[in-house]
Amino acid sequence: MDRLGALAETDDTRPVILAVGEVSGWRERGHGLPMDSQITFVEFHEISLELLETVRPDLVLSPVMCSSFDCLDLAQVLGSFGFSGRYRAMVGGMPNPELVRREIQSHCPHLDFDLISITLSPSATLN
């Protein structure tokens, strides 16, 4: 079974999550990622209509910003593919998160977008 075929087999009792970030960098720094049919980790450049149709995420998660993309980039890609689920961007310590919400809403008015505020330890990183 190929990777996308394996991703399509899910347990319908839990939401399917697509986590978008700098996955290769995370692994290179020695961080493990859970292997679970309910959560799929991908790099921004891997987002495609085929991936969204196969995984059928209920929720897309990403950092607000990292070195390869920001949440506006991802929101526009999701919108262009007609994504109808929820997109949440994780933010830690942003002085005015409402600016981000308004920016996404102005560019992608049909996208269900919001921010998840998280507290990071000094050594933590999202990307």
Side-chain angles (χ1 to χ4, degrees):
M1 179 179 299
D2 67 6
R3 179 173 180 256
L4 289 179
L7 296 176
E9 294 180 8
T10 61
D11 174 0
D12 291 339
T13 62
R14 298 184 295 161
V16 175
I17 300 169
L18 182 64
V20 183
E22 294 176 335
V23 177
S24 59
W26 183 261
R27 285 187 174 125
E28 287 170 8
R29 289 189 297 277
H31 301 290
L33 296 171
M35 299 301 287
D36 187 318
S37 64
Q38 299 308 129
I39 187 164
T40 301
F41 293 89
V42 297
E43 303 271 346
F44 176 73
H45 68 269
E46 294 178 288
I47 301 296
S48 67
L49 183 57
E50 179 186 13
L51 178 74
L52 292 174
E53 288 175 343
T54 301
V55 175
R56 296 187 332 235
D58 301 301
L59 174 65
V60 174
L61 289 174
S62 80
V64 165
M65 186 183 317
C66 59
S67 64
S68 59
F69 71 96
D70 64 31
C71 62
L72 179 57
D73 297 327
L74 183 53
Q76 290 175 323
V77 168
L78 293 171
S80 73
F81 292 135
F83 176 70
S84 60
R86 295 169 292 159
Y87 171 33
R88 302 296 184 262
M90 297 173 290
V91 60
M94 180 176 276
N96 192 351
E98 190 54 37
L99 290 175
V100 174
R101 283 187 192 94
R102 285 197 306 257
E103 184 76 9
I104 300 297
Q105 184 63 34
S106 71
H107 288 279
C108 307
H110 301 291
L111 188 63
D112 179 355
F113 174 82
D114 206 351
L115 297 170
I116 297 174
S117 181
I118 59 172
T119 302
L120 296 174
S121 68
S123 63
T125 179
L126 292 176
N127 49 13

